[in-house]
Every structure is written in C-alpha cells, then in structure tokens.
C-alpha cells in the first residue's frame, strides 16, 4: 500500500516529483522542472513554515487591528473579508530569502545552517483578498503612525514590521484565496499577507493581529533572523545587520540539476525574478561561448517573475549553461555573491551542469 505522501506537520500531499523535500519536515520546494505556467499550481507551490501548519476555525477566527498608531481598535471576522469588503486579485511571486542557500554554500566552500534550499523556494500565485489599506482605514491611522506589523497565530507568532508606505501600497493584500481557491491551510488559511516584491518572510501566514506603531519595532525577524550579517554589513541598533527587504535578482533553468538532454536543437526554458523591480533582459551562455539573448515569453512585472526561453543546438558532451538576468534598475546578476552568515540573497549566475547524450 502507498504511504500517504505528506509530512505529519503539513496538510497538502508532497509528491517528490512536484515538491523537493529539504529534509526539515516542514519545507518543500517547487521542482523547477515542473513549473508549467506563469502561475504555480497549489499542488507544487513551495512551503516554508517554521512550525507545523495550525488548524484554524474560520467561524471563530478574528483579525484585530490595534496599536498606538490607530485611533481605534478594529476587529474583523472571516465573513467581513469574504463578503463585506472589496476583493482584489493580483499575481505575485513569493521567494524565500534563503533560496539557493545550498548553491551559495558550494560557491563559498562552506555549509550554512537553515533550510537547505536548492533552487526551489520560489513560486507565483494569483492572490485574492482585501487591500491591507482598506482594513487599516476604519482604524483611523494617526499622523504619527510609522510601522505596520502583522502577527501570526502559529506557534512562533511570526512578526515582520513593514514601513507604512509599503503597508499602504496598492498591492499589499490580506489574501483569502490562492489561484481561485480558498487559501490552503499550509499557505496561511484563513488569511495571509502578501507583500509584493519582498522576501517571503514578510508575507505572514495565519494572520491574527496587525499592530500599527508610532515607533520602529524590533522583533526576531528584523533583528537576527532575516538580516544580512557579515563583513560589509553594519549592525543597526538592536539588529545584527540590515533587515532584508527584497530578495536577490535571480534566474533559474526549468531543468533538473544536473540536466540530461539528447543532442540536437533544444528549447531551454526558465524564469527570472527581480523583486520590486522588473526583469528587463535574460542572457544565456554555453560554456566559454558568448552571452546570447534569451527571449522573454512572459515579460513579468514588479513583484512577478518573467519567463524566458533560449534555443540551443546541443552537441554531445558535458556542458555548463549560465543564465544572467538584468532588471529595469540597471542591475545584472554578478558572478559571485558577498558572503553573509545566514546564507541569504544568493544572486550569482549559476553554472548549470548539462549532460548531452547521443550523436550528431
Ligand atoms: N506565520 C508564518 N508566516 C510565514 C512563515 C511562517 O513560518 N509562519 N514563513 C515565512 C517564510 S520564511 C516564507 S518564505 C513564506 C513562504 O510562504 P509559503 O509557505 O506560502 O510558500 O511564508 C512566510 N510567512
Ligand atoms: Mo522564507
């Protein structure tokens, strides 16, 4: 008999052909070779959870807005979000700041603690929900309000403060649906934040409370966990280094690592992501050959990955395929990434090994 292919701590099945097991029991990545369309189907959307998925009853669930930055506390019920407030839908990519950590370690000849991600901690969904702005408005933000901090109902009470401008942005939403379905348990049911173009950790799942503060807030996720620590990164007050906002500019090939192909003409496909920026170009290079432009087949936009493809007439043998994305802010992926202690924001051009079999 088949064992059920699910971890006891998460709800959705985790078939290994769709979801890469990082070994933590909680964290599963989207198999890059099974990405299909612009949107990642829920069955293969990556999961990053610090603690088991909580069981939350939407009939008793509430979301409270409070703090010294609001004129009055407001409490919403699930039904308020579902039926009483304007719903908007946005397609947005979520990427964990720790994506590619294993490859970062290989580049530096060391290992990192933390979730052992390859290339799979990135996915894209259509999120439907209520603008955070619309939930804050009835609480009457004061002129002194500075930061907005979502807090979760799971065992770690995850919190990650946002500056007021980001909280009020058009595309910062409290999502109740994902790809047209009620938000799945592992992705934050009944409601999660989606913070466009920021590291995944800002998109707090299983929301229960939102604090509006007149002073800067210091919590583990912006002082010691999702911060850049190392030479070149200065500590800031209680923070061990700068808190990460955007993930690194990056790209991936939609093939296994290493890839196995048959000789002859190939269409190599992939993704590139630029956080709050927009991917402008993608280039590919085979071995020591020249950089050549790839074609953007879905251009992407701020907070949404781009899709690209590249034609290659492959000769038999062992090859290295490199991909370099650039964004509309003039950045390009570098050849190496400055080290940081927790292995975040790996941005280097990857040397993707490709074995090509057969004769010409
Ligand atoms: N409450 C809560 N929210 C959370 C987390 C968590 O562990 N608990 N993980 C964060 C991190 S680190 C990431 S990368 C994203 C992952 O979202 P996903 O599991 O829907 O892909 O959720 C974020 N929100
Ligand atoms: Mo993350």
């Amino acid at each position: 008999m088949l064992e059920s292919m699910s971890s006891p701590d998460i709800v959705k099945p985790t078939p290994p052909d769709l979801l890469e097991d990082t070994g933590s029991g909680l964290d599963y990545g989207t198999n890059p070779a099974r990405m299909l369309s612009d949107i990642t189907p829920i069955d293969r959307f990556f999961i990053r959870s610090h603690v088991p998925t909580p069981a939350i009853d939407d009939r008793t669930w509430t979301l409270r807005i409070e703090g010294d930055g609001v004129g009055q506390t407001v409490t919403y019920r699930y039904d308020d979000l579902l039926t009483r407030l304007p719903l908007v839908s946005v397609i947005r990519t979520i990427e964990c700041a720790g994506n590619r950590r294993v490859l970062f370690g290989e580049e530096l000849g060391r290992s990192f603690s933390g979730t052992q991600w390859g290339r799979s901690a990135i996915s894209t969904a259509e999120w439907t929900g209520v603008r955070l702005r619309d939930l804050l408005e009835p609480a009457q933000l004061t002129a002194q309000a500075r930061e907005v901090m979502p807090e979760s109902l799971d065992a770690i009470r995850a919190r990650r403060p946002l500056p007021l401008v980001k909280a009020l942005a058009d595309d910062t939403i409290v999502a109740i649906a994902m790809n047209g379905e009620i938000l799945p348990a592992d992705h934050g049911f009944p409601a999660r934040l989606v913070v466009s173009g920021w590291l995944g950790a800002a998109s707090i799942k299983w929301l229960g409370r939102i604090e509006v503060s007149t002073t800067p807030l210091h919590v583990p996720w912006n002082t010691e966990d999702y911060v850049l620590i190392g030479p070149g990164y200065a500590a800031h007050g209680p923070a061990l280094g700068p808190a990460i906002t955007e993930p690194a500019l990056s790209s991936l090939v939609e093939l296994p690592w290493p890839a196995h192909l048959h000789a002859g003409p190939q269409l190599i496909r992939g993704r590139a992501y630029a956080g709050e920026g927009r991917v402008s170009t993608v280039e590919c290079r085979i071995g020591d050959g020249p950089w050549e432009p790839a074609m953007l087949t879905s251009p992407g936009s701020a907070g949404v990955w781009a899709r690209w493809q590249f034609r290659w007439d492959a000769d038999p043998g062992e090859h290295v395929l490199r991909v370099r994305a650039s964004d509309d802010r003039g950045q390009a992926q570098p050849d190496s990434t400055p080290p940081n202690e927790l292995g975040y924001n790996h941005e280097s051009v990857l040397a993707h090994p490709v074995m090509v079999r057969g004769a010409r």
Side-chain angles (χ1 to χ4, degrees):
M1 227 190 89
L2 276 176
E3 289 291 305
S4 96
M5 287 183 299
S6 176
S7 152
D9 293 330
I10 65 173
V11 174
K12 77 180 180 185
T14 56
D17 56 326
L18 300 184
L19 286 164
E20 289 182 0
D21 185 350
T22 66
S24 69
L26 292 165
D27 308 306
Y28 292 83
T30 303
N31 179 347
R34 293 284 179 274
M35 285 185 164
L36 298 182
S37 66
D38 289 12
I39 282 173
T40 314
I42 288 169
D43 64 6
R44 65 204 65 189
F45 198 103
F46 87 100
I47 299 175
R48 167 47 173 147
S49 295
H50 291 67
V51 289
T53 296
I56 297 175
D57 184 347
D58 54 292
R59 291 163 303 182
T60 53
W61 176 83
T62 58
L63 176 60
R64 201 164 73 246
I65 317 276
E66 62 189 1
D68 65 1
V70 295
Q72 62 178 27
T73 298
V74 174
T75 303
Y76 295 98
R77 291 175 308 121
Y78 188 56
D79 211 42
D80 296 326
L81 273 63
L82 207 58
T83 64
R84 294 198 175 79
L85 289 157
L87 289 179
V88 294
S89 294
V90 293
I91 293 173
R92 289 294 180 270
T93 296
I94 292 186
E95 182 179 29
C96 183
N99 199 17
R100 296 174 298 276
R101 182 178 277 131
V102 169
L103 297 160
F104 200 174
E106 285 170 7
E107 178 180 318
L108 296 171
R110 59 164 288 184
S111 62
F112 288 108
S113 54
T115 305
Q116 297 299 298
W117 293 116
R119 301 170 294 146
S120 62
I122 183 166
S123 311
T124 299
E126 184 200 52
W127 307 98
T128 297
V130 179
R131 288 196 174 102
L132 179 55
R133 194 171 71 200
D134 290 345
L135 294 171
L136 295 175
E137 202 254 332
Q140 298 161 6
L141 298 184
T142 69
Q144 288 76 39
R146 274 184 66 171
E147 290 197 349
V148 176
M149 184 174 70
E151 182 179 313
S152 71
L153 296 166
D154 57 353
I156 42 156
R157 303 255 150 198
R159 289 162 294 167
R160 173 53 163 97
L162 302 173
L164 192 63
V165 281
K166 190 65 181 170
L168 299 181
D170 266 357
D171 55 356
T172 298
I173 70 168
V174 172
I176 58 172
M178 179 178 182
N179 296 349
E181 293 181 38
I182 291 297
L183 195 62
D186 301 308
H187 297 291
F189 179 83
R192 81 171 303 164
L193 200 62
V194 174
V195 182
S196 299
W198 278 39
L199 79 166
S203 291
I204 298 291
K205 304 190 281 190
W206 311 298
L207 276 178
R209 178 178 173 266
I210 294 172
E211 177 178 342
V212 181
S213 170
T214 59
T215 53
L217 297 169
H218 303 287
V219 294
W221 281 20
N222 70 1
T223 59
E224 58 190 59
D225 288 341
Y226 290 96
V227 298
L228 296 171
I229 304 169
Y233 297 113
H236 284 268
L240 301 178
I244 300 167
T245 56
E246 291 178 77
L249 176 61
S250 67
S251 53
L252 67 84
V253 177
E254 289 172 55
L255 288 172
W257 184 294
H260 293 271
L261 300 174
H262 288 283
Q266 315 282 330
L267 195 58
I268 305 292
R269 292 174 309 177
R271 316 272 158 158
Y273 183 50
E276 289 182 303
R278 200 172 56 77
V279 172
S280 52
T281 62
V282 174
E283 300 159 287
C284 294
R285 180 185 190 192
I286 308 294
D288 297 329
W291 285 104
E292 294 180 70
M295 191 208 288
L296 293 185
T297 52
S298 294
S301 53
V304 188
W305 60 16
R307 291 173 76 186
W308 54 265
Q309 63 186 38
F310 177 70
R311 288 189 183 281
W312 175 33
D313 195 4
D315 288 325
E318 293 188 12
H319 300 276
V320 173
L321 167 60
R322 289 187 174 80
V323 182
R324 181 170 68 189
S326 307
D327 70 13
D328 60 349
R329 298 174 288 194
Q331 308 183 65
Q333 286 186 257
D335 293 329
S336 63
T337 306
N340 69 84
E341 270 318 297
L342 302 175
Y344 288 129
N345 279 16
H346 186 243
E347 59 183 353
S348 312
V349 167
L350 302 177
H352 196 128
V354 185
M355 321 294 168
V356 180
R357 274 182 303 161
R360 296 252 34 162

